[in-house]
Amino acid sequence: MGLKMADLGIPRNTIQVLQKHQFVFQKKYGQNFLIDPKVLDRIIRAADITEEDSVLEIGPGIGTMTQYLAERAGRVTAVEIDRNLIPILEETLADYPNVTVVNQDILKMDVKAFAEGEGRPVKVVANLPYYITTPIIMGLFENHVPLESITVMVQKEVACRMQAGPGTKDYGALSLAVQYYAKPEIVANVPPNCFMPRPDVGSAVIRMTRYEKPPVQAKDEGRMFALIRASFNQRRKTLANSLGNAPELGLSKEKILQALEKMRLPAAVRGEALTLEQFACLSNELSK
Ligand code: SAM
């Protein structure tokens, strides 16, 4: 084909590969391929890849970003669900012996076992399929996969929710879940015309740097997250009402009001006003 190294991100080259293999896009797999070298450079810089790194790429597509990663990392493992992309990847990644392509659904893969086998925390880099952004990211965190950072393209609105702080409209259970495990930072906004085909939504690149230890001490992590979910289930209600009406928590309204008083929070406070630290404190207080 006469393609140079790491130049699939040029639209003409992507089109050439797709035509040669008569590739048909599968909407159900969230296939929007990157066709902007500047955006690819930005992702790679944010991911901060060195020769010592083992990178896990989720959804390599035709291998556009995989080539960039392979030129910098020690090893790249690229997990792709669509078997029609495998022969294409064999061709586009033929010059990169440090890449392993795995034809699997990332949600069914034992990522923890894979990462443990790498001998050092992995860096996850991906232009994610948007239909499963949250299960992928929360799966990585909640299963305690040994990882250093996650640098991913996601829907812009989701990136804003991940990074949001208390009292903002985007703040919610996802913000708190992400911020319990990692420090999020949006590094670029990416318009639809950087992809082929163009997605219906705006996108953003977000880097999440994992904390070695959570920034707050919750005695029972699971219970704190149950509390957080219930607090944001009914955003317009006061925290005391939302929690009091959640049968799964088994809490009386008196007990909740007492805990709020102890924490010097107003009885009518809403969940969206509480910081992660306050949620941890409330959870510890309520399990006394
Ligand atoms: N990395 C490529 C790029 O930037 O051009 C493709 C990104 S595209 C947004 C998402 C990719 O994830 C597609 O190749 C799609 O087939 C793949 N994918 C979708 N669901 C997946 C899953 N459950 N496990 C692994 N890969 C998946």
Side-chain angles (χ1 to χ4, degrees), residues 23-33 80-85 129 131 197:
F23 179 74
V24 180
F25 283 99
Q26 301 243 40
K27 216 175 168 168
K28 67 169 178 188
Y29 288 149
Q31 292 176 338
N32 301 95
F33 297 164
E80 174 56 60
I81 196 170
D82 186 352
R83 66 183 159 85
N84 292 330
L85 286 166
Y131 73 107

Side-chain angles (χ1 to χ4, degrees), residues 46-225:
D48 190 20
I49 310 289
T50 71
E51 271 173 17
E52 269 93 67
D53 287 323
S54 164
V55 172
L56 170 65
E57 187 190 9
I58 299 159
I62 62 166
T64 308
M65 191 157 73
T66 325
Q67 292 185 339
Y68 280 72
L69 293 167
E71 285 181 2
R72 290 155 184 89
R75 269 169 56 73
V76 181
T77 305
V79 181
E80 174 56 60
I81 196 170
D82 186 352
R83 66 183 159 85
N84 292 330
L85 286 166
I86 304 305
I88 301 184
L89 288 164
E90 273 165 16
E91 205 174 284
T92 58
L93 300 174
D95 291 337
Y96 299 93
N98 58 342
V99 178
T100 308
V101 174
V102 182
N103 184 200
Q104 210 183 341
D105 178 346
I106 188 70
L107 295 178
K108 294 193 179 139
M109 177 171 159
D110 188 344
V111 183
K112 189 175 187 192
F114 155 76
E116 282 169 352
E118 291 302 278
R120 58 171 297 160
V122 299
K123 290 182 178 169
V124 177
V125 188
N127 170 17
L128 285 179
Y130 294 171
Y131 73 107
I132 42 170
T133 300
T134 309
I136 290 177
I137 292 177
M138 292 323 298
L140 292 169
F141 285 142
E142 285 168 0
N143 295 320
H144 299 278
V145 172
L147 61 87
E148 206 174 305
S149 60
I150 303 179
T151 307
V152 281
M153 178 88 70
V154 296
Q155 198 176 322
K156 186 174 177 196
E157 182 202 316
V158 175
C160 291
R161 278 163 50 203
M162 288 171 166
Q163 198 188 241
T168 62
K169 72 170 176 27
D170 291 327
Y171 187 58
L174 182 64
S175 327
L176 287 153
V178 166
Q179 292 164 31
Y180 179 72
Y181 294 104
K183 183 178 181 306
E185 186 191 353
I186 294 177
V187 293
N189 285 317
V190 183
N193 63 3
C194 296
F195 301 87
M196 182 187 298
R198 295 180 184 192
D200 299 329
V201 293
S203 302
V205 179
I206 187 164
R207 177 187 157 111
M208 289 162 269
T209 312
R210 199 187 205 307
Y211 293 126
E212 270 175 37
K213 234 174 49 204
V216 301
Q217 268 68 56
K219 289 192 187 108
D220 183 341
E221 241 175 57
R223 188 150 171 89
M224 179 183 73
F225 282 114

